[in-house]
Amino acid sequence: MRLHRLDITAFGPFGGSQRVDFDALSAAGLFLLHGPTGAGKTSVLDAVCYALYGSVPGARQSGQGMNLRSDHAETGTRTEIRLELTVAGRRLEITRQPPWERPKLRGKGSTVDKAQTWLREYDSTARTWKDRSRSHQEIGEEVTRLLGMSREQFCQVVLLPQGDFARFLRADAEARGRLLGRLFDTQRFADVEKRLAERRRATEARVREGDATLLADAHRMQQAAGDAMELPELAPGEPGLAEAVLQAAAVARATARERLTVAHCRLGAAESAHTEARRVLGDARELARLQDRFAEARRRAEALQERAGAHREAQQRMERSRKAESVAPALELRDVTEEEHHRADRAEAHARGLLPDSYAGADAGSLAGAARRAAEELGGLDAARRAEQRLAALIEERAGLDRQERADDDVLREAESWLADWDITRAALQTRIDSAQEAATRAEQLAVRQETMAARLAAARTRDELAADLETAGRRARASEQSALDARAHWLDLKEQRLNGIAAELAAHLTDGEPCAVCGATEHPAPARKVAGHVDREAEERAHADSRQADRQHAEDERRLGVVREALAAATAEAGDTPTDLLEAQTADLEREHARARRDASALHAAHEELRRAEQERERRLADRQQAAVRTASRLTRRETLEREQALLEEELTQARGTADSVATRAAQLERRAALLTRAADAARAAEDTAQRLKDADARLADAAYRAGFDTPRAAAAALLDDAAHRELQHRLDAWQTEEAAVRAVLAEADTAAAAQRPAADVPAAERIAATAERRLREAASARDAAARCCTELDRLSARAAEAVRRLGPLRDEYDRVARLAALTAGTSADNERRMRLESYVLAARLEQVAAAATVRLQRMSSGRYTLVHSDDRTGRGRSGLGLHVVDAWTGRERDTATLSGGETFFASLALALGLADVVTDEAGGVRLDTLFIDEGFGSLDDQTLDEVLDVLDSLRERDRSVGIVSHVADLRRRIHGQLEVVKGRTGSVLRQRGAV
């Protein structure tokens, strides 16, 4: 993968559009990305990652979507990243636009545009760009496929984060495992471990479940067998459970069969005794029944004899009632006719009482004639009645006109009064609007000034803090410089002393007969002797190490001093020389003035609304005044018409009313008179008709009573029975006859009479004997059934237990195999000597490859001193981990990477990062990574080590790679000619590019 061009618009700290030409930068192999702290160096790398994967690296992933947008960007400028690169032999262009909240094209407010992504490919034959896709998912899958790396792998392999690898270098086995697991995708091996553990738990659960079911059946067999079965004291999963259960079941089944045979014999004897007892009980009950039947019949015969007289009287009364039934219709007709006559007399008396005294002696014909004359007069009042209703409507309409006139007068007065003050009201409201508008404009201007002042105040506070830090850093740099000079002078003094006494040091190794390393002589007559204060090699090396440590400390202090100076210069440039307290006071004044302006401007909307409502009220008042004038003119014409019609109607009604107050009153009087006369005539005719019918009914009743044999109609009425009395008397006669027949039939039965001659039956004694026999039979049957159920249940449960044991055999074998394999992959098995998990084993192999690849570069950076080696010694809880040690060639010893110094840690982690990049690249299918970035860490190196590290990085060009170094170390600007500088300012950062010379 080689980067060619990167275009950044409104992204991160870059408010405008910036372009990076990687082809020009990487012409010499190395290029430098530098700039002050916070300028946006890392944002350039974020843009590369976002273009490829649609998200930014690591902890900055929370800044997605609209948060990626630059705060310095113009309102109408959309955030966009465009990257041109070559990967897998294809030249591609990827353009990404994150979601964007922009102002609406119409109306107020804002709307959110969705994210956009484009992928284009350069056709070298046609020399044009061709669109490939606009789908986020398709483009993401295509980039991942071509690069062969996920976003995490890309950020770890291409954007080499030195802080992460320093932590990786010092981390424990668990932390290394997490990082390597993400890079090499060993999740499938962890899934194998997890799957085996799950299968082990599943098979174990199935075995335990089968044992629990088997043990539950054993408990059921024990409940069925009672004390004939003893269960083994074993838990589910313990060996020997199945054999013990089957053996106990066999013993219980044999015992149950013996009990069943005994129960069958006892049941046969009980059935014979029970049959005989039931026969004796039946004979006793039959004898007792016949004896009771005969005694009851004798008692009933005596009772009939006592009621014989009453029976004869009832027969006679029934005979008289049958004769009176022929007179009943005449009696009923006479009673009905008499009641009708009484009602007609009462109705006639009531109707005549409502008439005037002049009609007291009138007959029915005279009353009917008077009613006809009143009805004829009533018919002549229909026209007058309509005229009277019309007159009432005219009067009501005139009253309504009067009410409308008064209401319109009120409307006119109110409208005139309100409209008279309109000009004053409108001028006052317009004044309020103008004042609020001026306040809103002033608030916007003050907000801009307030924002600028707040930035200056923050910069001033930072300036004051950095001024104090600068003085402290300066003192520390001067002190470390002096310490470095003193340490170097001390080392040179010791070195000179050692050189002066080197003869004594060489003489200490001379042996007679062996040649001297200096002169070659085999005799040594006068070897040099060590003098007091002799300096040996170890003392010189300690002084040299102290001198180098002091130099590194001085370089670190100088770097910190430069960082503080740059930050102080930037803060001073933004804040100026104004004192902080004065800026705070000016900021507070602006805030108060801005608050007052916003408070005054808040009344603008209310003033506009009040003016709008006032104008609407004016239009309504004008319309009301005009409509009231039109209605007034219309009412004058209508009132004249109504007055003429009212005069004509009053003249007509005066003649029709007569002496009554109104036509309606006169009509009501006539209606009442006609109704009373008609009712009285009808009542008189009805009374005459009912009197004649009553006379006829009396004659028919007397004739019917005589023919039935009664002296008078009253005697016939007394002999007549109603329906209830007739039914009750007939029921008594029928019951007596039925009872007499039944008694005679019972007394005539031969077996009943014979039973009465025998001794009384003893039924209770026979019942007690039968109950005892039945109880013994039930007990024997229950014992037999219980024994049979026990045998059946034991047979069923034994068969089920045997089947369960056969099924559990293969399952136990499977569990043993899976448990051994799961323990082996999890590192808990005794067969796994190093107690290493499967995933750790794979990662250990990868780490060994990474350590071998990193050692090639580390030996060159450290002048052959250090070598990285992988260790799988047991750590932590007794399991093999992912150990990483460094071998020091100067001492020949292997030690932990945590013991490396700051500079040593940097180039060791750099070598580890480059080695990891090579291994991951090979793992990804050999994808060429022609462009790499290294982020920070060079400030901890001395000049010699820095040269060696740069030589290693420069050697990457042998594989046609270009390396971008992200750092603000000043010395790198002199060593690396290809540079990309990030310059920050108040309006956002900009990029300045300088190619290799």
Side-chain angles (χ1 to χ4, degrees), residues 259-321:
R259 291 180 177 177
L260 179 59
T261 302
V262 174
H264 270 299
C265 295
R266 291 177 179 175
L267 178 60
E271 287 177 346
S272 299
H274 179 262
T275 301
E276 179 61 23
R278 294 295 296 175
R279 185 190 63 76
V280 173
L281 177 60
D283 294 343
R285 285 178 175 172
E286 179 62 20
L287 178 59
R289 185 184 69 80
L290 293 175
Q291 290 175 346
D292 293 341
R293 179 178 176 82
F294 184 81
E296 179 65 22
R298 292 293 298 272
R299 287 194 299 272
R300 291 164 64 186
E302 294 174 358
L304 287 174
Q305 187 63 33
E306 293 174 358
R307 299 198 309 271
H311 176 62
R312 287 190 295 272
E313 292 178 0
Q315 286 179 331
Q316 294 173 1
R317 186 177 179 188
M318 179 61 72
E319 182 64 24
R320 287 178 58 83
S321 175

Side-chain angles (χ1 to χ4, degrees), residues 429 433 606-617:
L429 292 175
I433 292 174
H608 273 297
E609 287 296 317
E610 190 172 351
L611 178 59
R612 182 182 60 80
R613 289 194 297 270
E615 289 176 344
Q616 292 176 350
E617 181 66 16

Side-chain angles (χ1 to χ4, degrees), residues 717-738:
L720 189 64
L721 296 175
D722 57 15
D723 293 341
H726 186 275
R727 284 194 302 272
E728 193 274 333
L729 184 58
Q730 186 65 47
H731 176 69
R732 285 164 54 192
L733 294 173
D734 294 341
W736 195 93
Q737 292 176 357
T738 301

Side-chain angles (χ1 to χ4, degrees), residues 380-422:
L381 293 178
D382 289 341
R385 186 180 300 167
R386 290 192 296 271
E388 187 175 46
Q389 293 174 353
R390 175 57 182 162
L391 179 61
L394 290 177
I395 295 173
E396 179 61 27
E397 186 175 356
R398 289 191 60 184
L401 293 175
D402 294 338
R403 288 192 299 271
Q404 291 179 6
E405 185 176 6
R406 289 192 297 271
D408 287 343
D409 291 341
D410 294 339
V411 169
L412 288 173
R413 285 194 302 272
E414 185 178 354
E416 293 295 342
S417 175
W418 193 91
L419 292 172
D421 299 331
W422 165 244

Side-chain angles (χ1 to χ4, degrees), residues 673-687:
R673 182 186 301 173
L676 292 176
L677 290 172
T678 300
R679 190 179 303 117
D682 294 340
R685 283 193 294 267

